[in-house]
């Protein structure tokens, strides 16, 4: 897993280490407690002000399912991925760092907006709340992104449950536009990668994944088209920017016949 790709490499390391220690010393804590310990390590020791989603995904995730996580109650629901769904994940080659920089600024902006609205967290604000427009900028845009993204998560669960891939693709696209314009966590290289993906006739949607300011994109297509989409998008991207993208998904076994940097 490329470090700084927005794919929870730090959480994966934390969870793997804790699993090893749990087995070595015959410790009895479960996977949820393990995730909480990993989260403490990242927030208190490393100093990255992240949520617990990454650690829970690494600790509780399984192949073929998505996790619907309520990070307030820590209730987790496993959602089976439709068999026809295909995901392409491409690392842009632009690393990011949650412990410094603008990620910390976004966290502080959300906390400031919540305080101005008199709520504990922006999760407690409805998408249609007229008070959002009255917030000073950029807090109004930050709040609009968060409350609408929360709704998009609920809509995505329904789309996955019903197998509605076109609807899921539209949610991917809306999410990226919101991260780019309202939350401002995207970068030109990421936007280019998303735009190139959206030009592909077999792509249903694409978005930045992770905390932003670099990292990877996730592209939605039909399962049968994942390899073709991955190869076409990285070829187009590398022809424009002097960067070396890495295909994380799908697993491609013919990389020796292709000049791109492909993970297998």
């Amino acid at each position: 897993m490329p470090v700084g790709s927005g794919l929870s490499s730090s959480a994966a390391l934390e969870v793997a280490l804790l699993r090893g220690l749990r087995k070595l010393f015959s410790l009895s804590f479960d996977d949820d407690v393990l995730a909480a310990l990993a989260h403490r390590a990242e927030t208190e020791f490393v100093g990255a002000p992240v949520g617990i989603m990454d650690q829970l995904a690494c600790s509780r995730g399984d192949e073929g399912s998505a996790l619907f996580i309520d990070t307030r109650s820590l209730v987790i629901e496993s959602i089976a991925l439709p068999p026809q769904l295909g995901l392409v994940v491409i690392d842009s080659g632009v690393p990011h760092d949650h412990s410094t920089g603008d990620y910390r600024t976004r966290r502080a902006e959300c906390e400031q907006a919540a305080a101005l609205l008199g709520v504990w967290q922006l999760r407690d604000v409805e998408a249609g709340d007229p008070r959002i427009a009255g917030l000073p900028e950029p807090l109004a845009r930050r709040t609009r992104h968060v409350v609408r993204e929360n709704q998009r998560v609920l809509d995505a669960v329904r789309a996955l449950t019903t197998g509605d891939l076109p609807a899921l693709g539209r949610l991917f696209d809306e999410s990226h536009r919101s991260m780019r314009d309202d939350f401002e966590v995207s970068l030109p290289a990421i936007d280019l990668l998303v735009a190139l993906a959206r030009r592909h006739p077999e792509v249903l949607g694409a978005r930045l994944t992770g905390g932003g300011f670099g990292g990877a994109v996730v592209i939605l297509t039909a399962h049968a088209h994942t390899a073709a989409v991955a190869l076409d998008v990285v070829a187009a991207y590398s022809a424009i920017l002097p960067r070396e993208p890495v295909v994380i998904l799908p697993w491609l076994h013919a990389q020796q016949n292709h000049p791109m940097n492909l993970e297998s």
Side-chain angles (χ1 to χ4, degrees):
M1 188 71 70
V3 174
S5 60
L7 298 170
S8 309
S9 59
S10 59
L13 175 62
E14 294 153 4
V15 168
L17 179 59
L18 283 167
R19 283 179 175 174
L21 292 173
R22 180 172 64 181
K23 183 174 182 179
L24 180 64
F25 295 104
S26 300
L27 302 175
S28 59
F29 53 81
D30 63 18
D31 287 343
D32 288 344
V33 172
L34 187 148
L37 292 172
H39 181 247
R40 281 191 62 188
E42 186 140 356
T43 56
E44 297 179 18
F45 181 75
V46 177
V50 298
I52 199 172
M53 179 188 71
D54 289 0
Q55 290 78 15
L56 282 171
C58 291
S59 183
R60 292 282 303 274
D62 61 84
E63 187 174 359
S65 299
L67 290 184
F68 176 35
I69 302 171
D70 184 329
T71 58
R72 176 173 290 175
S73 66
L74 297 185
V75 171
I76 300 173
E77 181 182 355
S78 183
I79 309 293
L81 298 178
Q84 70 273 26
L85 178 148
L87 293 175
V88 175
V89 180
I90 302 174
D91 176 24
S92 67
V94 182
H96 69 174
D97 184 354
H98 282 345
S99 63
T100 60
D102 288 332
Y103 180 87
R104 185 181 294 273
T105 300
R106 292 296 176 276
R107 176 71 178 257
E109 288 169 341
C110 290
E111 292 170 351
Q112 183 182 357
L116 290 173
L117 292 171
V119 296
W120 179 32
Q121 294 175 332
L122 292 181
R123 165 197 182 136
D124 299 312
V125 180
E126 297 291 334
D129 194 320
R131 296 178 300 163
I132 296 175
L135 290 170
E137 291 293 356
L139 301 187
R141 285 182 288 120
R142 307 297 188 247
T143 302
R144 184 166 61 236
H145 166 74
V146 171
V147 297
R148 291 181 178 176
E149 190 78 349
N150 284 343
Q151 183 60 52
R152 279 189 285 269
V153 171
L154 300 177
D155 294 342
V157 170
R158 283 191 287 272
L160 285 171
T161 302
T162 60
D164 190 345
L165 298 192
L168 186 62
R170 289 191 293 272
L171 292 168
F172 272 43
D173 291 340
E174 291 172 9
S175 178
H176 184 77
R177 286 194 294 268
S178 182
M179 288 189 285
R180 181 193 65 200
D181 301 335
D182 283 345
F183 215 51
E184 295 183 286
V185 296
S186 191
L187 295 175
I190 298 293
D191 294 336
L192 173 63
L193 198 50
V194 168
L196 292 171
R198 291 302 291 121
R199 292 177 192 172
H200 197 288
E202 302 298 343
V203 167
L204 298 170
R207 66 185 291 273
L208 167 68
T209 187
F213 307 106
V217 302
V218 58
I219 302 166
L220 179 66
T221 184
H223 187 270
H225 302 306
T226 54
V229 166
L231 292 172
D232 290 348
V233 172
V234 295
Y237 180 77
S238 297
I240 298 171
L241 289 183
R243 295 191 179 277
E244 199 168 349
V246 179
V247 175
I248 309 299
L249 282 177
W251 308 122
L252 298 173
H253 301 290
Q255 64 270 30
Q256 68 271 16
N257 297 321
H258 196 278
M260 296 300 107
N261 185 4
L262 306 176
E263 291 287 301
S264 63

